[in-house]
Amino acid sequence: MSANDIVNILVSQTNAATPSALQRTGLIVSQGGSSLSAGESALIASQADFTAILGSGDAATELQAKYTTYSANNQANVAIRVLELGTAGTRASGTVTLDTNPSPGVQSSGTITLDTLPANGDTLTIQGTAITFVDASPVGNQVLIAATKELTAANLQAFLAASSDVNIALMTYNTILAVTTATARIYGTGGDAYTLAATGVNISVSGANLTGGVAPDTLTIQGTAITFVAASPTGNQVLVGATKELTAASLLAFLSASLDVNLVLLSYALSGAVVTVTSKLPGVAGNSYTLATTSSAITVSGAVLTGGGTNSAAGGVADLNAFLLANPATYYAALVPDAWADEPTFLTFLSLNSGLTSRFYCFFHVQGDASFTGSIGGTTLTVTDIASGHIAIGQLIEGTGVTANTRVTGLLTGTGGVGTYTVNNLQTAASTAMGSTNNYDQYKGLKAAVMRIKAPLDSVLTSPAADMFALCVGMNPSETNKLAPFAFRYIFGSVAYPLTPLDATNLKAAYVNYTDTGAEGGLPNVKTLKWGVAGDGRDFSYWYAVDYVQTALHIDLANEVINGSNTAINPLYYDQRGINRLQNRAQATANRCVNFGMLLSNANTPIVNAIDFATYTEANPSAYAAGEYNGLSLVAVPARGFTAINFALNVSDLVTG
């Protein structure tokens, strides 16, 4: 601005918030079905992209089925990511717990006492270096004798502190009156070898050597010893901090950065004062990796790591969990391998991801109950009678003489009932009662579990779970593309489930989704999704809306605060006007969610409430100083569709005028 200008324009900028893309992200999880390395992922935007990473074998067939069905239902053309986890199994792990702060050890020490005034020519020898007391003009390793022994001790202290002699410098010195204490600079027993000696009767030393050195605490991982030190760590040393938590943080930093050939075999994670040590190599090999300590302040989980195994499903679950922890709030849904439904750790994983604020869902196949009479010869299952249920690809078969982990792998003459099927294990089992127990009841109540059951006639190249997965990540709600109920959505690629009355009751009660036709609505040639629910029984649109609303409120309120700090025209202050602005911004977000088909709208909802400034600060005296305001709230009711209609029709032959 020139001094001659009348007007000066000050420019500031208010930026609109970018909507979150979280709910349009997903993973197709593979275990050995792709050519990717374990832990590697690839973005798939086309069939060509997928073909380029497709492997071979049964796992590749399952992966192909997932992508084929996903593509058939991917009306929004959303690119998906394939995550390869490999088949090697679980990784061994153990823990190192700092119960208290480790000791860096104790320094050796000794004393030099001037019992009387030294005589001219008396000597003191420290670690082989002789020091001579003289009456006048000291040079080199000489100390001036003063009027008293205390003043002479002070001269000795000054000489020792200033000396550059390599032996004298191994110790530090402290003098009180006529006693000088020599302390080894190093911690541990090494200082016990340092020597002291004196000539004449005027000087005495505590002993021929320093004493009292105590070795520092050590931790040994796979043969590599790590020493805890009080200062200036070098090599395989870790600095002891003011608290055990700070020491644990230093230990983690050292372990993570180390290039030691033993330490690089493992990965490390920290929680408080506990360092978790995990083998990088999956399988049983990690069970031989060792942990040891000399410290009473440190507890290791055991002499060796444990938990390494060949269970590829358990390993996959653990690796997916690690991947999500390394990429927080990055993926909304995963289409996981069929075998995971029988893996106990998968149930734990889903339980941990079913909290109200969790925004991650797994889509997977489950199997139903079946009871039948059958025999197995080679890899052919012959079913001669079926009492209940259906036989489908992927089912786990049990019975007397049946090899463990026998699964149906294909249809021969059977289509769910009497007939022949292929199984995975070569065996001979005489005709006997066989069956399959459902694995879906255990997931009931978990919102992160989105279950789908295959129809007997679904081929190995069909993955019904992929259609609902595609519907999930394909949503992009707007005023012209509202969030619709998931129940009864059109789906493509799968076969209608041959529902019996018992199936209808059991599957609906367990919140298991399946393929039906639209025949009830006069649409026999279309396939529809029954019931479109998450594992807690709510239409999936309910949780989709909840996730969208909480994400949008977070972004929009943060945007209001950030923009409010970057405008000189209308800054956002912690006062009543500021609270009103936040309330209005949140209300605008809620109204947008109504317009997008997320929330029910009536006279009572969705209304954003805010506690006024005076009331809130009076009830929370420290809140203003901290800049914290927890007075906003919203009661929201997610919109939903109909799933049952009962119509009362009264018929009569009575004709009235």
Side-chain angles (χ1 to χ4, degrees):
M1 175 183 178
S2 167
N4 192 48
D5 290 343
I6 298 172
V7 177
N8 178 32
I9 305 298
L10 301 175
V11 178
S12 61
Q13 185 178 25
T14 299
N15 294 301
T18 301
S20 170
L22 173 66
Q23 290 174 277
R24 288 172 65 79
T25 59
L27 299 166
I28 298 179
V29 178
S30 167
Q31 286 200 275
S34 78
S35 59
L36 301 171
S37 300
E40 186 181 2
S41 67
L43 186 65
I44 307 299
S46 66
Q47 180 62 50
D49 292 340
F50 180 75
T51 301
I53 59 96
L54 184 63
S56 59
D58 292 342
T61 300
E62 181 179 339
L63 181 61
Q64 175 71 74
K66 285 176 165 53
Y67 185 72
T68 299
T69 307
Y70 172 79
S71 298
N73 292 274
N74 182 22
Q75 304 300 307
N77 293 317
V78 175
I80 206 69
R81 190 166 286 276
V82 170
L83 172 64
E84 179 57 60
L85 297 179
T87 60
T90 54
R91 290 170 168 79
S93 65
T95 56
V96 176
T97 302
L98 305 192
D99 301 306
T100 57
N101 227 351
S103 169
V106 177
Q107 297 154 292
S108 306
S109 64
T111 57
I112 303 159
T113 303
L114 304 189
D115 299 307
T116 58
L117 196 64
N120 187 56
D122 282 352
T123 62
L124 167 69
T125 303
I126 298 177
Q127 188 59 6
T129 295
I131 302 157
T132 304
F133 290 87
V134 295
D135 288 331
S137 306
V139 295
N141 289 344
Q142 295 178 340
V143 172
L144 180 66
I145 301 170
T148 66
K149 64 180 182 179
E150 289 81 9
L151 291 175
T152 303
N155 289 343
L156 175 62
Q157 171 69 40
F159 165 77
L160 293 171
S163 177
S164 59
D165 180 88
V166 292
N167 295 319
I168 293 173
L170 293 172
M171 295 163 241
T172 61
Y173 305 90
N174 181 53
T175 298
I176 299 176
L177 297 177
V179 179
T180 299
T181 300
T183 303
R185 292 185 184 274
I186 62 171
Y187 285 74
T189 58
D192 288 353
Y194 296 170
T195 60
L196 296 175
T199 62
V201 296
N202 303 307
I203 307 170
S204 61
V205 295
S206 55
N209 298 87
L210 303 191
T211 60
V214 177
D217 286 344
T218 62
L219 168 69
T220 303
I221 299 178
Q222 187 56 9
T224 295
I226 301 154
T227 304
F228 292 89
V229 298
S232 305
T234 59
N236 290 344
Q237 295 178 336
V238 171
L239 181 68
V240 175
T243 66
K244 63 181 182 179
E245 289 79 12
L246 290 175
T247 304
S250 296
L251 175 60
L252 176 71
F254 164 76
L255 293 171
S256 300
S258 177
L259 298 178
D260 179 89
V261 292
N262 295 318
L263 299 181
V264 296
L265 296 173
L266 304 139
S267 61
Y268 308 91
L270 177 66
S271 176
V274 179
V275 176
T276 299
V277 180
T278 304
S279 167
K280 289 181 179 178
L281 183 68
V284 298
N287 293 337
S288 64
Y289 294 168
T290 59
L291 296 175
T293 182
T294 62
S295 173
S296 60
I298 303 173
T299 302
V300 295
S301 54
V304 292
L305 305 190
T306 59
T310 56
N311 184 336
S312 61
V317 173
D319 288 346
L320 176 60
N321 186 61
F323 179 84
L324 295 174
L325 290 174
N327 300 275
T330 304
Y331 298 99
Y332 188 63
L335 183 60
V336 303
D338 293 349
W340 287 19
D342 294 308
E343 170 51 45
T345 60
F346 185 51
L347 176 63
T348 303
F349 172 80
L350 291 176
S351 298
L352 294 174
N353 282 281
S354 287
L356 292 177
T357 58
S358 178
R359 293 171 294 171
F360 185 75
Y361 302 87
C362 284
F363 295 75
F364 59 99
H365 294 123
V366 292
Q367 67 182 32
D369 294 299
S371 178
F372 57 91
T373 300
S375 60
I376 303 176
T379 58
T380 300
L381 166 66
T382 301
V383 176
T384 56
D385 180 68
I386 186 155
S388 62
H390 306 281
I391 299 169
I393 293 173
Q395 262 180 330
L396 187 67
I397 304 302
E398 299 171 327
T400 302
V402 177
T403 302
N405 297 316
T406 294
R407 292 185 182 274
V408 177
T409 56
L411 311 179
L412 294 175
T413 63
T415 57
V418 171
T420 56
Y421 305 83
T422 59
V423 295
N424 58 333
N425 292 326
L426 184 68
Q427 60 192 289
T428 299
S431 180
T432 187
M434 297 183 183
S436 174
T437 303
N438 84 72
N439 56 8
Y440 52 67
D441 280 338
Q442 61 187 326
Y443 298 108
K444 183 176 180 179
L446 300 179
K447 78 178 184 72
V450 185
M451 296 175 280
R452 205 67 163 76
I453 192 167
K454 288 184 173 184
L457 288 178
D458 277 325
S459 76
V460 293
L461 290 177
T462 301
S463 176
D467 55 33
M468 197 169 171
F469 172 73
L471 295 177
C472 167
V473 299
M475 284 301 304
N476 190 18
S478 67
E479 290 188 347
T480 57
N481 184 41
K482 299 181 188 295
L483 175 64
F486 273 66
F488 319 126
R489 291 269 196 104
Y490 292 152
I491 51 178
F492 306 94
S494 56
V495 175
Y497 193 81
L499 206 64
T500 66
L502 182 60
D503 291 333
T505 299
N506 290 343
L507 296 179
K508 187 174 183 180
Y511 311 135
V512 176
N513 300 288
Y514 55 90
T515 302
D516 200 359
T517 72
E520 184 181 1
L523 302 168
N525 296 321
V526 301
K527 302 296 189 300
T528 60
L529 178 64
K530 286 279 187 76
W531 293 91
V533 294
D536 69 336
R538 290 183 172 89
D539 190 282
F540 191 77
S541 62
Y542 176 97
W543 290 116
Y544 190 98
V546 170
D547 296 337
Y548 186 98
V549 171
Q550 64 174 303
T551 303
L553 284 170
H554 185 129
I555 291 174
D556 289 353
L557 288 173
N559 175 263
E560 191 70 28
V561 172
I562 294 169
N563 278 327
S565 294
N566 289 281
T567 173
I569 299 173
N570 188 25
L572 179 66
Y573 294 117
Y574 190 157
D575 57 16
Q576 187 58 53
R577 289 184 60 214
I579 291 173
N580 292 345
R581 280 175 62 179
L582 293 175
Q583 182 182 17
N584 291 339
R585 182 64 181 268
Q587 187 63 61
T589 303
N591 293 344
R592 184 172 80 247
C593 292
V594 170
N595 294 335
F596 286 8
M598 303 280 184
L599 300 178
L600 181 69
S601 177
N602 58 34
N604 300 312
T605 184
I607 297 174
V608 176
N609 298 297
I611 302 173
D612 67 84
F613 176 76
T615 300
Y616 187 81
T617 52
E618 181 178 355
N620 302 275
S622 62
Y624 183 81
E628 293 181 359
Y629 178 72
N630 300 320
L632 291 169
S633 63
L634 168 66
V635 176
V637 180
R640 66 156 303 143
F642 295 99
T643 57
I645 297 173
N646 296 307
F647 188 95
L649 172 64
N650 177 262
V651 296
S652 173
D653 58 3
L654 176 63
V655 179
T656 62

